[in-house]
Amino acid sequence: GAVVSQHPSRVICKSGTSVKIECRSLDFQATTMFWYRQFPKKSLMLMATSNEGSKATYEQGVEKDKFLINHASLTLSTLTVTSAHPEDSSFYICSAALGPLAGANTDTQYFGPGTRLTVL
Amino acid sequence: AQKVTQAQTEISVVEKEDVTLDCVYETRDTTYYLFWYKQPPSGELVFLIRRNSFDEQNEISGRYSWNFQKSTSSFNFTITASQVVDSAVYFCALSEALWNFNKFYFGSGTKLNVKP
């Protein structure tokens, strides 16, 4: 149980284009989803927390107009990197947490497999 | 200040050796959760364990064991009889709120290399 998928797993795009990454909780409803960015050989950096039906909460230093997050349903959140530039190239990982009615482990985050974005 | 410190950047062992990965955390909350995740070369983080601040019992799961010591703010992870498949980056994480899905504070990770 608690499987999270991400699509695409890998994307290469030209500078200036926008890229959408999907994060889905496959076998549970996720009230909250998180988006992280990971640079090579580095730890995960939280970008934003996304609650279903409300605006995402961005971490300090993360441009909300550049990294658009939509959490339209309890099983789907999307991250759109707008007008991507080479410096946006990174490994983007989403995670999902069980809702409060799920009992134990509501605070455990289950991670997707990640999306490797390369901007040329 | 770092809330979660994993001082060991990289560890190399030979298969069948035991290895302990250290994790030291810092928090003022009385209710918090500690986690360990494994990130193999494929990139996906695999959940290993969740421990709440009120439960200091050590836990064993197969070759994995965890030692939670509130007195030293540590939550160390031991792999017994390591195997090549254990090679990965291991992250320790802290969550300070029980029901509010507050963000995780991740350590910098420890890369474990298990050589045959």
Side-chain angles (χ1 to χ4, degrees):
Chain A
V3 177
V4 177
S5 71
Q6 265 183 258
H7 177 80
S9 58
R10 211 176 265 275
V11 58
I12 300 173
C13 68
K14 291 183 179 179
S15 189
T17 60
S18 293
V19 175
K20 180 186 280 188
I21 303 170
E22 290 187 350
C23 176
R24 293 182 186 272
S25 55
L26 298 184
D27 52 0
F28 67 100
Q29 293 188 327
T31 304
T32 306
M33 288 183 167
F34 303 83
W35 286 96
Y36 294 84
R37 183 173 180 176
Q38 186 179 30
F39 292 102
K41 299 184 180 181
K42 297 291 184 184
S43 189
L44 284 75
M45 181 192 79
L46 179 66
M47 298 175 66
T49 302
S50 165
N51 290 298
E52 185 263 340
S54 61
K55 289 184 179 179
T57 301
Y58 289 81
E59 293 299 302
Q60 193 172 13
V62 177
E63 299 175 60
K64 59 180 69 174
D65 293 331
K66 180 162 188 64
F67 299 100
L68 301 178
I69 292 172
N70 184 282
H71 193 159
S73 76
L74 287 172
T75 59
L76 173 65
S77 176
T78 60
L79 167 68
T80 301
V81 183
T82 62
S83 187
H85 291 288
E87 57 265 30
D88 298 324
S89 298
S90 192
F91 192 54
Y92 293 88
I93 309 174
C94 75
S95 72
L98 295 168
L101 298 180
N105 290 342
T106 56
D107 45 77
T108 300
Q109 292 183 29
Y110 297 92
F111 287 82
T115 296
R116 189 160 303 282
L117 170 64
T118 303
V119 185
L120 302 176
Chain B
Q2 283 271 67
K3 281 190 175 283
V4 179
T5 301
Q6 292 180 257
Q8 304 150 307
T9 305
E10 189 165 350
I11 301 175
S12 292
V13 299
V14 177
E15 209 169 19
K16 297 184 183 176
E17 284 185 8
D18 298 347
V19 58
T20 295
L21 309 182
D22 297 334
C23 174
V24 174
Y25 64 93
E26 181 183 332
T27 180
R28 293 181 181 178
D29 282 16
T30 55
T31 301
Y32 54 90
Y33 281 74
L34 296 162
F35 302 82
W36 275 96
Y37 287 86
K38 173 183 179 180
Q39 187 178 40
S42 60
E44 180 172 1
L45 272 85
V46 177
F47 167 73
L48 296 178
I49 190 171
R50 163 189 178 270
R51 169 67 74 215
N52 75 57
S53 53
F54 300 108
D55 183 3
E56 283 195 77
Q57 278 195 332
N58 291 331
E59 181 155 340
I60 298 175
S61 176
R63 295 184 297 108
Y64 295 169
S65 62
W66 290 270
N67 184 351
F68 178 28
Q69 300 266 357
K70 285 179 80 169
S71 60
T72 56
S73 296
S74 65
F75 186 43
N76 296 338
F77 172 31
T78 297
I79 301 176
T80 303
S82 60
Q83 300 175 1
V84 173
V85 292
D86 295 328
S87 297
V89 179
Y90 291 85
F91 290 99
C92 179
L94 165 73
S95 170
E96 291 179 311
L98 178 58
W99 300 105
N100 295 330
F101 310 111
N102 277 4
K103 66 180 181 180
F104 277 17
Y105 296 94
F106 278 94
S108 53
T110 296
K111 184 177 182 182
L112 175 64
N113 302 307
V114 182
K115 302 175 183 177

